Amino acid sequence: MPNPGTAKNRSLNYGETYACPVCRQGQLAALTLMDAYACPFCRHIFTANLQAQSIQLADGIQPLVWRWTGQNWQALHQGSANLTWLVWLLGGILVVVPPSLVGLAAYIFPNSETDPWNFPLLWTGLTFFIHFVLVSWLVAEHHQFPLYVALKIRVRELLASD
């Protein structure tokens, strides 16, 4: 027996609003005279398939799809597995190879003994950190994690209010 305090199961239709599956901050509402939904928070547009109880991101590069379970969205991964594998492989190479080259150069050409700062180690660490941040950003853009999307929108709103 369902708890009376929880949301009841409901089917996907154009007359109701739903939580946005991308940003999880806004509410999806039907667009007038269109078979689509839009989120005013993240400004994404979704095409709907009411028979399959699913929506697809219409304004994105990737064909992201979610199925409505009656209470929340369930992601259906239709993206290319080869592209995801390639993103992770290139990300790993970008994080490992440049710091390794800097570290190898520091090993081949050692620093002077009188230097109080260990610049080769500092440069190797800084190279790793910057490349890790760059790859993390690219992976977040590729996968569109809800926390990342919400943070990106909040920063955009903060910068626009100045």
Side-chain angles (χ1 to χ4, degrees):
M1 179 169 189
N3 185 355
T6 62
K8 62 181 178 180
N9 286 344
R10 55 190 174 141
S11 63
L12 187 64
N13 64 58
Y14 293 116
E16 295 188 44
T17 61
Y18 305 91
C20 178
V22 174
C23 66
R24 297 187 185 171
Q25 303 290 320
Q27 293 289 319
L28 294 183
L31 292 173
T32 307
L33 299 176
M34 296 182 71
D35 293 338
Y37 289 95
C39 176
F41 186 78
C42 65
R43 298 182 182 149
H44 282 298
I45 297 173
F46 302 87
T47 57
N49 182 346
L50 297 183
Q51 289 78 23
Q53 293 289 293
S54 66
I55 59 171
Q56 180 175 356
L57 186 64
D59 61 351
I61 296 171
Q62 295 185 44
L64 300 174
V65 179
W66 293 269
R67 186 176 59 83
W68 180 248
T69 64
Q71 294 180 341
N72 55 18
W73 296 107
Q74 179 181 35
L76 300 176
H77 301 288
Q78 288 187 341
S80 171
N82 291 337
L83 180 62
T84 301
W85 179 80
L86 183 65
V87 167
W88 284 103
L89 177 68
L90 288 176
I93 289 170
L94 280 174
V95 169
V96 172
V97 171
S100 298
L101 292 175
V102 171
L104 180 64
Y107 180 74
I108 293 172
F109 305 106
N111 202 9
S112 68
E113 300 294 328
T114 61
D115 186 15
W117 296 83
N118 194 353
F119 278 113
L121 185 61
L122 179 70
W123 278 113
T124 304
L126 188 61
T127 304
F128 175 80
F129 176 73
I130 289 173
H131 282 84
F132 180 77
V133 168
L134 175 71
V135 168
S136 298
W137 171 69
L138 290 173
V139 167
E141 279 290 328
H142 174 74
H143 288 289
Q144 291 292 308
F145 298 119
L147 180 63
Y148 171 74
V149 172
L151 183 64
K152 184 169 71 170
I153 293 166
R154 299 266 189 220
V155 167
R156 186 184 327 143
E157 287 176 350
L158 182 68
L159 293 176
S161 66
D162 290 341

